[in-house]
Amino acid sequence: MTPAPQVVIVMGVSGSGKTTLARLLADAWGATCLDADDLHDETARARMAAGLPLTDAMRDPWVARIADELTTRVAAGERVVLAFSGLRRRHRERLRATGLPLRFLFLHGDKALIAARMRARSGHYMPVSLLDSQFDTLEPPTGEADVATLAIDRAPAAMLREALVASSCA
């Protein structure tokens, strides 16, 4: 039997609704909500704000910081919901390598819908111009047993209900 998760990772391209769902899920589950974007260094944020995508070499130390943060929090007795792009399989594998009981929720949706959401938000460093690079970088989690796919074209409350069941947090 698979252990109950201590970490649920809400993943997908920028604008897919990761942060919104992660906050709702953390509130419903009584968990700490973390946004992986907060663990980017200033160089990475400036690069993305300038409309330049990150390279894999730039992402690797970021993913290591995320893994360390999750490990520290779970060791302190916290349950965590993380909003994290998780675009590359190797990044997901790095988080799995922590040995923490975790589940992934992959937010999947239409590029046009996501672009409209990105244009509607304010105060975010990630420009709509990088959406194509997000989709180009995405290695869908096909065949990864600990990943549930959720369609993003529904209301947040409906997505939350599905997320609670799919992540075994209900």
Side-chain angles (χ1 to χ4, degrees):
M1 181 173 193
T2 304
Q6 291 298 303
V7 178
V8 175
I9 301 167
V10 182
M11 61 169 280
V13 298
S14 184
S16 61
K18 296 181 302 289
T19 302
T20 298
L21 183 59
R23 287 178 181 153
L24 291 170
L25 184 57
D27 286 346
W29 193 35
T32 300
C33 184
L34 298 177
D35 193 326
D37 286 347
D38 294 337
L39 297 172
H40 276 301
D41 61 29
E42 290 305 316
T43 302
R45 284 189 189 148
R47 183 175 171 89
M48 289 183 284
L52 300 170
L54 298 180
T55 65
D56 283 336
M58 298 170 107
R59 288 185 186 102
D60 287 341
W62 172 59
V63 176
R65 284 192 298 277
I66 294 166
D68 290 345
E69 183 71 18
L70 292 175
T71 300
T72 298
R73 295 208 179 234
V74 171
E78 294 180 51
R79 294 190 297 187
V80 180
V81 178
L82 173 71
F84 169 60
S85 56
L87 299 178
R88 294 277 196 212
R89 184 179 187 122
R90 75 183 202 179
H91 300 149
R92 298 186 296 270
E93 291 297 339
R94 172 64 182 93
L95 298 184
R96 289 179 180 114
T98 62
L100 300 171
L102 54 81
R103 302 279 193 284
F104 290 87
L105 302 177
F106 173 48
L107 304 188
H108 179 67
D110 178 72
K111 189 186 292 188
L113 172 59
I114 294 170
R117 287 179 176 182
M118 290 178 78
R119 282 190 292 276
R121 68 184 181 188
S122 63
H124 198 281
Y125 62 85
M126 181 70 121
V128 178
S129 62
L130 287 180
L131 184 57
D132 284 338
S133 75
Q134 290 264 296
F135 274 95
D136 291 344
T137 303
L138 175 64
E139 295 173 356
T142 306
E144 296 176 37
D146 58 356
V147 180
T149 299
L150 281 68
I152 65 165
D153 60 351
R154 294 168 296 131
M159 290 185 67
L160 173 60
R161 284 190 297 276
E162 186 177 351
L164 285 164
V165 172
S167 60
S168 303
C169 296

